[in-house]
Amino acid sequence: MKETFRRLEAGRQEEILKAAMREFAENGYDKASTNRIVRDAGMSKGMLYYYFENKEDLFRDCIGYALDHMEQSLESWIGTEREGFIERMARIAEAKRRYFREHPEISGFSAVILLSPNVPPSFRERLGTLMEEGKRKMFDGLDLSRFRGDLPPETLMRLVQWTFDGYAREAEEQMKAEGVNFGDLDRYWDEFGVYLDAMKTIYYRGDGS
C-alpha cells in the first residue's frame, strides 16, 4: 500500500478494497481483472496504480483488511456467556450468518485467502492463528453438565459439530443448485431450528438442563 492510499478517507479505502475483494472472490487471483476492479470502484486505471504498486500489492492489502476485520469481530461471534455446547454452536452459526450477510465481500474473499497460492506465508500464519484462537474461545465457559452422562462430552461435542458442518455443506449445495443468493440464509437457518431441538433431546439430560 502506498502512502497515497493511506491518505484517503476510510470510507473510500473500503470502497476500493471491497471492489477488489469481490473481483478476487469471483475470479481468483490469476484471473482477477484490474479493469473490472477500477470500473466497480468508480476510478481510473491510473488511480489504481497511484494507490498500489501492482495487483499483488492490492491483493495483499485486501488480505490485511479482511483479517483485521475478522479479528475484530471474533469476540462478538463467540461471546463469553456460560452456556451449553449446542447453544454455543447455534449462536456462533447465527453470528456467522449475520456477518456473512453484512460483509459479503469479506466472506467471499476469505475462501481465496485459504486456497490461493499467492497468499504470503505471514498472512497464512495469521489466518491460522485466527482460526486456532476461534477454536480455543469456542470451548471457553461451556456448561458440559447439560450433556447426558452415559457418554464422554468430547464424543457428544464431536457429533454435534458434525451435524452443524454437515447441514452447512448441504445448505450451501442447495443454494448453489437453486441459484439462491448466499446473503439470503434466513430460510436455511429457520429450518435448522428443528434440528437444534432434536440435538438437545438426543444429547442433553432428560430434564433439558
Side-chain angles (χ1 to χ4, degrees), residues 14 20 26 30 32 38 49 60 62 67 85-87 93 103 107 118 122-124 133 139 148 154 163 186 196 198:
E14 285 188 6
E26 291 175 9
D30 290 333
V38 297
Y49 293 109
R60 287 170 180 255
C62 286
L67 290 176
F85 185 66
I86 294 174
E87 288 80 2
H103 307 286
S107 300
N118 301 90
S122 60
F123 284 119
R124 288 192 182 278
E133 179 68 7
F139 295 96
R148 53 191 290 176
E154 294 77 13
T163 302
D186 293 340
L196 287 176

Side-chain angles (χ1 to χ4, degrees), residues 69-79 88 91-96 98-100 130 134:
H69 204 283
M70 288 189 287
E71 287 171 349
Q72 292 166 9
S73 302
L74 181 63
E75 193 67 45
S76 64
W77 288 355
I78 298 175
R88 174 72 56 84
R91 194 163 51 73
I92 292 174
E94 164 64 9
K96 287 182 177 179
R98 192 166 56 248
Y99 184 87
F100 193 95
L130 177 64

